[in-house]
């Protein structure tokens, strides 16, 4: 079987985080680990097309990266002696036989907790997690946060440097520290999932590998913290969102909105698992933002058709969420539900005072509501604004088509 | 093993009248005792009022006299009021001590590593 560049790119996306997490453990240095893994992929690009894909690509990358790192350390006398010692110390095993300090045997989880350490800013936490665990490039991350690439590069360099100089530990926190450390991990995982669900840029709507990775880590978190309803809520939210993926794009790869989706395409197993989790976590009586968002998604995925959606239940859940964590995004989502109950005029009034000018969904909602009110020129302008903010090809195509549709209606009425 | 500086920032002027300094000092001593028990204690102390500070400036390799200024280097509402220097191989434990110092005083506390591993330059008294 021939190995193409796309095959190797796929392995890179799915295995980069795993390889880097193991290498950091072995080398005690993030930059060194990244260099080693990138070196290993350079070797893979030369060899795999000739020799074929190894049986375990991740294992091959990790082993090759470790050898490369040792070679590099031997060559470069400027490197700290302690790094060479670290390699010598850990080289005999593949990172699996080392004594574990925390309750979880997963190097990537260790990496998540280090990336999400409270001594790092939230921005740095997210950037590091996407970069090290998700294998995203700095430009992709910069894009996700609407900041210049140089700013994001600087942010990542500074965060790595702080981990090194302050000695931020590379471990899963002790049991007593876990609950406090969880919140930032959940926020970061959800952001990774969101990037996987609707990619910042590119020709594909999402990055299923990234969403799958967020879900996988979400499962590990739930296993690790079975008494933490928000971890369960986040997992449920991700599963119920992921379940709809097959219906989110049509044969041409274009975006299909929730109301227009063929619900028979939804992944029934993921829906069932998500619903069970929502019931389980809400029974604990400690609803948080993730559980409530999951509950909203449970309402949507319980409806056989869009018309069957229990919108009053959705509004009630958003009201609850606003009491716990009032944000403009929640207000926007609530307005969408209000539109179904009380009509577009009422919903549009709710959007006044919401400041989400740089957010695609804000303009989509406005465009949709203005369209229902047959205010076509304004609606077309909002669709255009939304399209202008999106670098995701399927999303942007959809938005431009809607803009053209609204503009045509506006022309008809003139 | 790394060496860390925990610094405490005090507002200008005398401490608030309702502040029981005895309790604060006793709480700080408890933290110091724990740092000592962990084997990493190097030094801790509170600084006199910033009005007692003198700032010295002198160009490098200059034959000119040093210029002395009566007052702190940076005029600010809050200034370095005290510091703890300790060694530890567990950053989270250091942060925990810093949280206790902040809690005991109600003042902002900064944790900052010294460069490199082990002793930063000048050896403390155990050399």
């Amino acid at each position: 079987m021939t190995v193409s560049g796309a095959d190797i790119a796929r392995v890179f996306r799915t295995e980069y985080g795993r390889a880097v997490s193991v290498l950091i453990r072995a080398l005690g240095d993030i930059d060194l680990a990244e260099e080693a893994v990138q070196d290993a992929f350079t070797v893979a690009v030369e060899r795999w097309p000739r020799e074929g894909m190894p049986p375990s690509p991740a294992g091959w990358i990790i082993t090759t990266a470790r050898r490369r790192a040792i070679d590099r350390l031997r060559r470069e006398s400027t490197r700290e002696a302690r790094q060479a010692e670290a390699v010598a110390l850990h080289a005999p095993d593949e990172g699996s036989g080392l004594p574990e300090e925390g309750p979880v045997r997963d190097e990537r989880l260790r990496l998540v907790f280090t990336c999400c350490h409270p001594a790092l800013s939230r921005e740095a936490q997210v950037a590091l997690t996407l970069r090290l665990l998700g294998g995203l490039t700095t430009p992709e991350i910069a894009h996700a946060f609407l900041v210049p690439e140089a700013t994001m590069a600087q942010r990542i360099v500074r965060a790595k440097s702080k981990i090194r100089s302050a000695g931020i530990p590379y471990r899963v926190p002790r049991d007593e520290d876990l609950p406090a450390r969880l919140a930032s991990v959940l926020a970061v995982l959800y952001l990774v999932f969101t990037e996987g669900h609707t990619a910042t840029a590119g020709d594909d709507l999402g990055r299923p590998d990234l969403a799958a990775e967020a879900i996988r880590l979400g499962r590990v978190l739930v296993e690790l913290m079975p008494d933490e309803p928000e971890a369960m809520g986040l997992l449920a939210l991700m599963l119920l969102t992921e379940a709809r993926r097959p219906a989110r794009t049509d044969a041409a790869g274009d975006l299909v909105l929730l109301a227009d989706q063929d619900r028979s395409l939804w992944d029934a197993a993921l829906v069932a698992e998500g619903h069970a989790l929502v019931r389980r976590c809400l029974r604990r009586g400690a609803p948080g933002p993730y559980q409530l968002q999951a509950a909203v998604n449970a309402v949507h995925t319980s409806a056989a058709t869009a018309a069957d959606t229990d919108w009053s239940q959705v509004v009630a859940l958003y009201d609850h969420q606003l009491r716990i964590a009032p944000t403009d995004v929640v207000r926007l989502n609530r307005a969408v539900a209000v539109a179904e109950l009380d009509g577009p005029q009422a919903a549009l009034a709710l959007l006044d005072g919401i400041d989400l000018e740089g957010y695609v969904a804000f303009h989509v909602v406005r465009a949709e509501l203005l369209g229902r009110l047959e205010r076509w020129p304004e609606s077309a302008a909002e669709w255009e604004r939304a399209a202008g903010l999106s670098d995701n090809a399927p999303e942007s195509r959809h938005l431009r088509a809607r803009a053209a549709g609204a503009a045509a209606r506006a022309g008809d009425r003139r | 093993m790394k060496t860390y500086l925990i610094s405490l920032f005090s507002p200008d002027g005398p401490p608030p009248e309702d502040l029981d300094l005895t309790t604060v000092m006793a709480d700080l001593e408890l933290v110091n005792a724990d740092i000592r028990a962990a084997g990493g204690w190097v030094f801790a102390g509170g600084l006199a009022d910033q009005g007692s500070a003198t700032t010295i400036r002198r160009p490098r390799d200059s034959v000119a006299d040093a210029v002395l200024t009566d007052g702190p280097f940076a005029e600010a509402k809050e200034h370095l009021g005290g510091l703890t220097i300790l060694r530890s191989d567990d950053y989270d434990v250091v942060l925990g001590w810093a949280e206790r110092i902040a809690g005991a005083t109600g003042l902002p506390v900064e944790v900052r590593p010294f460069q490199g591993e082990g002793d930063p330059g000048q050896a403390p008294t155990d050399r």
Side-chain angles (χ1 to χ4, degrees), chain B residues 23-45:
Chain B
T23 311
V24 171
M25 295 316 289
D27 288 347
L28 287 178
E29 192 40 54
L30 284 177
V31 181
N32 279 334
D34 284 350
I35 297 173
R36 281 194 198 91
W41 194 83
V42 177
F43 177 85

Side-chain angles (χ1 to χ4, degrees), chain A residues 34-108:
Chain A
E34 283 203 289
E35 281 168 22
V37 171
Q38 281 157 14
D39 278 356
F41 274 101
T42 306
V43 178
V45 168
E46 289 165 17
R47 288 204 196 152
W48 291 1
R50 210 171 54 226
E51 299 170 8
M53 183 84 77
S56 164
W60 189 97
I61 289 292
I62 289 166
T63 305
T64 307
R66 194 192 299 277
R67 288 201 191 112
R68 288 273 148 163
I70 294 169
D71 288 349
R72 197 187 271 264
L73 286 170
R74 284 187 182 135
R75 272 199 317 273
E76 296 178 20
S77 54
T78 52
R79 294 282 192 186
E80 298 266 343
R82 66 182 171 87
Q83 290 173 354
E85 283 166 20
V87 176
L89 204 62
H90 298 311
D93 69 77
E94 291 296 326
S96 56
L98 294 170
E100 293 284 328
E101 295 159 49
V104 162
R105 291 183 174 275
D106 190 310
E107 303 293 346
R108 278 179 284 186

Side-chain angles (χ1 to χ4, degrees), chain B residues 6 13 39 43 46 60 65 84-85 101 108 110 122:
Chain B
I6 299 179
F43 177 85
R60 199 158 54 91
D65 288 342
T84 300
I85 297 173
I101 293 171
E110 179 185 295
Q122 300 288 313

Side-chain angles (χ1 to χ4, degrees), chain A residues 16-30:
Chain A
Y16 184 83
R18 185 199 303 273
V20 164
S21 68
V22 171
L23 267 289
I24 292 173
R25 186 84 197 280
L27 301 171
D29 185 273
I30 293 173

